[in-house]
Amino acid sequence: MTELEPVPAAVAGLLATARGCLEVDVCWLSRLIGGTQVIEACSGDAASFGVRPGSTVRYGDRRHSRGHTGHRPAPAGQTGPSTGTGTTVAEGQVSGRLGAGSYLGVPVVLADGRPYGMLCCLSHDRALTARGRQARSLILLAGVLAESLSCQRPDLEARRGRFRQLIDNGGPRMTFQPVFELPSMDCMGAEALARFPPDFGGPERCFAEAAELGLDLALEVSAIRVALRALPRLAPEFGLGINASPTTVVSGEIAKVIADVPAERLVLEITEHDRIDDYPAMDRALDVLRREGVRVAVDDVGRGSAGLRHLVHLRPDFIKMDRCLTQHIDVDPARRALATALVSFARETDGLVLAEGVETAAELDVLIGAGVHQAQGHYLAPPGPLPLPPNADQTPPVAKASPSGPVRGS
């Protein structure tokens, strides 16, 4: 498998259009990388052919400059004559290996003449031919794809270069939001929150854009490294919350990054609204971290629809109530009931509930009454530089207006 840059959304739409027009089972765009064709994007039932983005495909021992088509499986290397339609017949060289009934492919060439890759279709039983409407349609769509890629590629490279420069320069800077125990108001530690240069935009936008560019793992790991540098500046009894997506957790990179730090002081916060496709793989990755002493939090509970699944499958040490539940909890019985239910769930699973986004004294009073264990928010202490506030004679500041929405941390 080869790691690829993500393709623009318009390319994915064109692949779906090609699959529909030709009435085939799967359509893919492959890219020529180092002399090898690598599938960059698929539309349709690619799994039934045993391929997916990142799979490499050999289109035959004989290279054809104009394209390929195949029908029923035949010995590799068997070729046929030119059809006069802009494609060349190549019997079974792809379809035989992938178990397809038939195959049709045409090259994709960028506006400057550089070969990009191949636009290919596979069908389990439908006959595809290089003659007639199917080939003409695929050639036309390959031209549209090439135009789209020619327009998108310079912008894509520029955006990727900007993020790579940020990562190479050490990643985003960190600010730290204190976390307080309830009802004592003792500071327990802080959550590290990533901050980006002004021209990048807010943290959530930056992490989302990095994911679109295929740089989410690199950006998250760089942010975690920056956050961990704060540990020596925190009192030994203070913990540090670091954020990571499920993809980064499953990658195993976090275990490498924390190898030389006191892992028992770390709380790994996994955002609730990030999709988890493979819970067993996630459990295995978390077990590795837990054996090192890392505690796990499910972040933003209540913000999306995956919260209950995350709570059941991930068995978190901390349940972080999103600010959408905390806000106006003093005047909303439904929010109070949900907070009480989370506290009850945490009690049964040996966890703790941490409320995010506390903005008023009234909200804090209700959270304490509901049995919530910890809290953070601008009313208690806004994000800022180290050191953390001392616990001696700690009193909350006066209430003030709620800030903008929550941000994603490291």
Side-chain angles (χ1 to χ4, degrees):
M1 301 296 293
T2 301
E3 184 177 350
L4 291 166
E5 302 171 5
V7 298
V11 172
L14 285 168
L15 290 177
T17 298
R19 182 169 59 89
C21 288
L22 275 70
E23 299 178 356
V24 294
D25 294 304
V26 65
C27 184
W28 75 55
L29 171 68
S30 65
R31 182 174 171 188
L32 185 63
I33 300 177
T36 301
Q37 292 281 352
V38 183
I39 294 179
E40 194 167 39
C42 299
S43 175
D45 186 16
S48 66
F49 296 98
V51 297
R52 60 189 178 95
S55 299
T56 58
V57 180
R58 184 171 60 88
Y59 290 100
D61 296 327
R62 293 182 62 182
R63 299 282 178 178
H64 301 282
S65 61
R66 309 283 306 273
H68 311 282
T69 182
H71 301 287
R72 296 295 172 184
Q78 180 180 343
T79 61
S82 172
T83 65
T85 61
T87 61
T88 302
V89 176
E91 297 283 351
Q93 292 178 348
V94 173
S95 59
R97 285 193 297 274
L98 299 179
S102 55
Y103 156 79
L104 179 64
V106 298
V108 177
V109 180
L110 298 177
D112 60 5
R114 288 180 298 142
Y116 185 89
M118 294 285 293
L119 174 61
C120 307
C121 293
L122 283 173
S123 178
H124 284 294
D125 50 22
R126 175 175 165 79
L128 300 174
T129 175
R131 297 178 176 88
R133 180 186 65 84
Q134 294 165 325
R136 290 194 296 272
S137 296
L138 201 61
I139 292 169
L140 176 63
L141 287 165
V144 176
L145 266 173
E147 183 177 355
S148 177
L149 290 165
S150 297
C151 293
Q152 294 281 349
R153 192 162 181 78
D155 176 64
L156 186 67
E157 291 297 337
R159 291 165 63 202
R160 285 177 62 85
R162 188 170 69 133
F163 273 91
R164 286 196 182 280
Q165 184 177 18
L166 174 69
I167 293 167
D168 292 343
N169 289 340
R173 68 178 181 86
M174 289 292 141
T175 187
F176 301 87
Q177 183 157 40
V179 174
F180 296 91
E181 187 173 24
L182 303 182
S184 70
M185 295 306 303
D186 287 337
C187 184
M188 305 299 296
E191 177 184 3
L193 302 172
R195 294 293 187 268
F196 292 83
D199 59 324
F200 277 77
E204 288 210 11
R205 173 184 168 185
C206 287
F207 282 104
E209 184 176 0
E212 292 175 5
L213 299 172
L215 294 172
D216 47 338
L217 176 60
L219 182 60
E220 286 191 18
V221 169
S222 72
I224 291 172
R225 290 185 186 277
V226 175
L228 293 179
R229 295 178 197 150
L231 275 174
R233 299 160 60 197
L234 293 173
E237 67 271 17
F238 283 168
L240 179 66
I242 57 174
N243 288 261
S245 68
T247 299
T248 299
V249 174
V250 172
S251 73
E253 290 298 315
I254 296 177
K256 301 175 186 177
V257 172
I258 68 169
D260 298 322
V261 303
E264 67 279 0
R265 296 176 60 190
L266 300 179
V267 176
L268 178 66
E269 302 188 12
I270 302 165
T271 46
E272 182 271 352
H273 53 281
D274 280 357
R275 178 176 175 178
I276 297 179
D277 295 314
D278 188 342
Y279 277 107
M282 189 72 172
D283 285 338
R284 291 191 294 271
L286 290 178
D287 284 343
V288 171
L289 298 174
R290 280 176 161 137
R291 285 196 293 270
E292 298 299 318
V294 176
R295 290 169 292 169
V296 175
V298 170
D299 202 5
D300 302 331
V301 172
R303 184 177 178 182
S305 60
L308 290 180
R309 291 196 302 274
H310 285 14
L311 294 182
V312 170
H313 287 283
L314 302 184
R315 299 165 284 117
D317 302 284
F318 295 89
I319 301 169
K320 296 195 69 174
M321 284 175 46
D322 186 72
R323 68 185 305 271
C324 71
L325 294 183
T326 302
Q327 190 175 35
H328 306 311
I329 194 172
D330 54 311
V331 295
D332 188 342
R335 285 179 168 86
R336 289 199 299 272
L338 285 171
T340 302
L342 288 176
V343 170
S344 177
F345 179 88
R347 184 183 305 115
E348 295 294 325
T349 57
D350 295 324
L352 299 174
V353 176
L354 191 161
E356 299 179 288
V358 180
E359 304 299 341
T360 68
E363 291 170 353
L364 180 62
D365 287 342
V366 171
L367 292 168
I368 292 173
V372 172
H373 306 93
Q374 296 181 358
Q376 63 185 115
H378 274 62
Y379 173 67
L380 303 173
L386 297 178
L388 297 180
N391 286 326
D393 300 321
Q394 178 71 35
T395 57
V398 295
K400 51 188 173 183
S402 173
S404 59
V407 298
R408 185 172 182 180
S410 62

